[in-house]
């Protein structure tokens, strides 16, 4: 009896990679939310115990420094996963590839 082999197409492999990346982003987002709720609550609690008012504890930048910088990283992760290109456009990569392929073709033609 032969073991069956599974042949994956490029499209299927790409789809699986996108699903894996998306799942990784959602896990990152969930951990970000849960961890930062805890971190902010602890920072506020500690500051109140040290004598600050609730308002002072909440508006202090130090309370939100970890969520802020972690959030920047989360934004970069989202940009990568969702393939968002606000400045370069969606077809920028394809245009650049075509441009360099044309340059290589012209260089090759010089030596024919």
């Amino acid at each position: 009896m032969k073991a069956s082999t599974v042949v994956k197409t490029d499209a299927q492999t790409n789809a699986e990679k996108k699903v894996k990346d998306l799942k990784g982003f959602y896990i990152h987002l969930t951990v970000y939310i849960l961890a930062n709720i805890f971190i902010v609550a602890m920072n506020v609690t500690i500051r109140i115990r040290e004598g600050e008012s609730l308002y002072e504890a909440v508006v202090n930048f130090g309370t939100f420094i970890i969520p802020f910088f972690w959030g920047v990283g989360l934004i970069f992760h989202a940009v990568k996963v969702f393939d968002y290109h606000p400045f370069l456009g969606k077809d920028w990569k394809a245009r650049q590839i075509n441009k360099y392929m044309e340059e290589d073709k012209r260089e090759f033609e010089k030596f024919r």
Side-chain angles (χ1 to χ4, degrees):
M1 190 180 236
K2 291 183 178 179
S4 64
T5 58
V6 177
V7 178
K8 292 184 181 179
T9 64
D10 287 339
Q12 185 177 6
T13 303
N14 288 341
E16 288 175 356
K17 183 186 179 319
K18 286 181 182 182
V19 169
K20 181 182 174 191
D21 291 346
L22 189 60
K23 180 181 176 185
F25 172 74
Y26 287 139
I27 290 170
H28 187 183
L29 179 63
T30 302
V31 171
Y32 171 82
I33 291 169
L34 296 175
N36 284 302
I37 287 172
F38 177 76
I39 290 168
V40 169
M42 291 304 299
N43 278 336
V44 169
T45 303
I46 290 168
R47 290 178 189 283
I48 288 173
R49 286 186 182 168
E50 291 175 348
E52 291 183 12
S53 70
L54 177 62
Y55 176 77
E56 291 170 333
V58 170
V59 298
N60 188 319
F61 180 72
T63 302
F64 295 101
I65 197 162
I66 293 171
F68 175 78
F69 286 109
W70 190 351
V72 170
L74 186 65
I75 289 169
F76 281 112
H77 191 173
V79 165
K80 180 180 180 264
V81 168
F82 293 107
D83 202 27
Y84 180 66
H85 304 287
F87 303 110
L88 303 175
K90 288 190 177 220
D91 60 342
W92 176 83
K93 186 176 179 180
R95 286 194 321 261
Q96 293 303 312
I97 290 170
N98 288 335
K99 175 180 139 186
Y100 290 119
M101 287 175 55
E102 286 297 321
E103 286 177 7
D104 288 346
K105 185 178 175 182
R106 283 193 299 272
E107 282 294 316
F108 180 75
E109 291 297 324
K110 286 181 185 178
F111 298 107
R112 277 186 119 189

